């Protein structure tokens, strides 16, 4: 027999309620939702929910035949928070809140703070205990928390778990199966981080997780919350950091979700002009409500606290900053000052980042921000938004526009590959070749490249080389590492059958070697965000579509010289300026035959001579490969031992 106990007088406490309504309850997941409790004479779950405009609230589920009113919650104050302890409820029980609206009707809502949910298409929340998992990553976390993220390599593998790989019968892999197969794969191929497209519970597969109903629940498509803990734990075991894609801008309209939660606009704005996001068919969050602020900031800290993730890529930041960005409304929105900025959203972003970094100083907070809004990755105290990284959408747009051109036309658009260096250090940038570039008819990276088959692969090799040597951290969408030919098909697995073709096997070998070279070459990341880490040798050779530059590390003599050729022409005895005298080794050449190239290599050490060139005191003559990148470093015994060329 299910019975209602008296609401504990100590919980929710007055201070918790005060902080919640002030917008500073940053661990709200400890108060709200369904929490297991046990004492000498009782065992069950305590339920707490915010529904300020409800006439009544009760918990319904299989345990009471979904009968509204049978297990009521008590309103603990005028604040609109309701709570009750229900005895004898077990873990895994289905439940929802039955909410009486101001009009007197009863609506059923999933728990906004639920830790687990039924697998689609079912929509109930599930009682769940998050304790009991034995984490094995304490040593790894101590190491992580000592590292300087800005001066370390970062190569992110962006992944959609539902379409990375599937079972033979088409079913999805579980979190545990993905942990045991996906994580060793990306570690072997030289990635340092994995970014998961949203894994918070969502009803529709084809939203890719960007329209969420359960912000506190890892989707049950792939298993249980503890299965996801195992996934993260396995990532850390393999020295892989975990970034979650997160959408605090908007949420889906499904009736069991957050929309009109108590029969009135609650999580969304009350002003109907501000409620809808027509382009996505969603509701905006209302950043003027302190309780919504508490909900979202608590959610960010929840994933870091409970699931040990390293941080977030925050989706659609531009649409949060600007009222009319990606807004298809037939009228223009204005703030109270007559401007286009969403003042409340900007204040929220600053508060979010301040709250996250106060608890997790080494967190990764990456903004997907596509405008020229200033100081996105600068600290709040310096007038910034407080993120520590921003996606460099301008670079991606320019370089892909350039690479789509026939090589004979590139000389007329040379600025597309050099312009980025005018602003490369204005923010802490991530260079993202993300899923956004590979869907809706945009074609895969390989299929964007011009020319015959050989030229397409060669173009992609030089693109990846420039990507890896350009200042900024890196992100690559899954499948791009082996040159997937088709654009991303979100309902199917990647085209693993391409490994039957030598061209794709050779390309994976190239991208893996390039990734590992990047990780092991400190001058390619040590000063990613500082102007001293980059120097042009020659950015002006538009006629031959060749650029050359130096990437520098912190220590004297820690540098490499990079030459990129964006045409099929081969140049022998090509002179470039060099910063110092000595013998230089070609450490990597994308035209090596083992990578699918034509074999135009610099097989022997090349000596620089004291002949000034390109504003450098020294120079040397090299072979420049067709549609290729070549990287030189000063000869040492150690480097001589690792240089490998296929003759």
């Amino acid at each position: 027999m299910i019975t209602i106990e008296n609401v504990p007088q100590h919980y929710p406490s007055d201070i918790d309620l005060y902080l919640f309504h002030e917008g500073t309850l940053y661990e709200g997941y400890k108060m709200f939702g369904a929490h297991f409790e046990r004492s000498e004479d009782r065992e069950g779950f305590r339920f707490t929910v915010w529904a300020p405009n409800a006439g009544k609230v009760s918990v319904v589920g299989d345990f009471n035949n979904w009968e509204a009113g049978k297990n009521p919650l008590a309103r603990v104050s005028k604040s609109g928070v309701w709570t009750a302890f229900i005895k004898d409820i077990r873990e895994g029980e289905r439940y929802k809140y039955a909410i009486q609206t101001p009009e007197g009707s009863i609506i059923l809502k999933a728990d906004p703070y639920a830790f687990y949910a039924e697998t689609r298409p079912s929509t109930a929340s599930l009682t769940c205990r998050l304790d009991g998992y034995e984490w094995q990553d304490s040593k790894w976390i101590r190491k992580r928390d000592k590292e300087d993220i800005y001066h370390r390599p970062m190569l992110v593998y962006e992944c959609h778990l539902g379409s990375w790989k599937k079972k033979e019968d088409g079913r999805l892999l579980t979190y545990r199966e993905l942990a045991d197969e996906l994580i060793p794969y990306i570690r072997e191929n030289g990635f340092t981080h994995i970014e998961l497209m949203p894994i918070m519970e969502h009803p529709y597969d084809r939203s890719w997780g960007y329209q969420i109903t359960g912000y506190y629940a890892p989707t049950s498509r792939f298993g249980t919350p503890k299965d996801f803990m195992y996934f993260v734990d396995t990532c850390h075991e393999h020295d892989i950091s975990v970034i979650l894609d997160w959408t605090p801008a908007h949420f889906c309209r499904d009736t069991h979700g957050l929309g009109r939660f108590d029969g009135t606009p609650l999580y969304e704005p009350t002003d109907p002009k501000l409620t809808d996001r027509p382009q996505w068919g969603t509701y905006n969050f209302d950043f003027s409500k302190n309780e919504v602020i508490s909900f979202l900031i608590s959610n960010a800290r929840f994933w870091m606290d409970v699931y040990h993730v390293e941080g977030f890529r925050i989706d659609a930041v531009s649409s949060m900053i600007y009222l009319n960005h990606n807004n298809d409304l037939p009228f223009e929105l204005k703030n109270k000052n007559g401007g286009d900025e969403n003042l409340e959203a900007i204040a929220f972003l600053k508060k979010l980042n301040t709250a996250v970094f106060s608890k997790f100083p080494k967190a990764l907070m990456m903004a997907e921000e596509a405008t020229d809004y200033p100081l996105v990755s600068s600290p709040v105290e310096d007038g910034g938004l407080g993120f520590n990284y921003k996606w460099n959408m301008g670079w991606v747009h320019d370089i892909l526009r350039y690479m789509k051109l026939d090589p004979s036309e590139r000389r007329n658009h040379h600025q597309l590959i050099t312009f980025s260096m005018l602003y490369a250090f204005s923010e802490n940038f991530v260079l993202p070749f993300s899923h956004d570039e590979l869907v809706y008819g945009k074609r895969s990276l390989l299929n964007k490249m011009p020319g015959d088959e050989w030229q397409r692969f060669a173009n992609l090799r030089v693109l990846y080389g420039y990507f890896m040597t350009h200042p900024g951290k890196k992100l690559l969408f899954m499948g791009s590492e082996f040159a997937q030919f088709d654009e991303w098909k979100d309902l199917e697995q990647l085209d693993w059958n391409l490994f039957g073709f030598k061209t794709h096997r050779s390309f994976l070998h190239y991208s893996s070697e390039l990734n590992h070279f990047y990780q092991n070459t400190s001058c390619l990341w040590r000063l990613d965000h500082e102007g001293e880490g980059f120097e042009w040798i020659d950015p002006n050779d538009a006629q031959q579509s060749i650029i050359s530059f130096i990437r520098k590390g912190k220590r004297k003599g820690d540098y490499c010289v990079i030459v990129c050729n964006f045409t099929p022409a081969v140049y022998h005895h090509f002179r470039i300026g060099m910063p110092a005298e000595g013998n230089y080794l070609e450490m990597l050449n994308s035209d090596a035959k083992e990578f699918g190239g034509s074999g135009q290599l610099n097989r022997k050490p090349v000596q620089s001579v004291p002949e000034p060139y390109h504003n450098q005191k020294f120079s040397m003559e090299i072979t420049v490969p067709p549609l290729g990148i070549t990287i030189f470093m000063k000869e040492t015994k150690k480097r001589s031992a690792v240089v490998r060329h296929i003759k």
Side-chain angles (χ1 to χ4, degrees), residues 3-9 11 37 42 74 83-86:
T3 59
I4 299 294
E5 298 288 334
N6 292 329
V7 176
Q9 295 301 308
Y11 211 82
E37 289 186 356
R42 67 180 191 178
T83 192
F85 174 81
I86 304 180

Side-chain angles (χ1 to χ4, degrees), residues 3 114 166 174 197 199 210 222 259 289 303 314 336 387 390 396 399 448 464 491 498 523 635 639-640:
T3 59
K166 296 187 177 183
T174 67
M197 292 171 66
I199 53 85
Y210 290 101
F222 311 110
K289 291 175 183 160
W303 290 100
I314 293 81
K336 63 182 180 181
F387 294 96
K390 172 181 173 175
V396 172
I399 192 65
K448 295 179 196 289
Y464 278 20
L491 295 180
L498 292 177
C523 60
E635 184 177 26
R639 288 173 185 158
S640 295

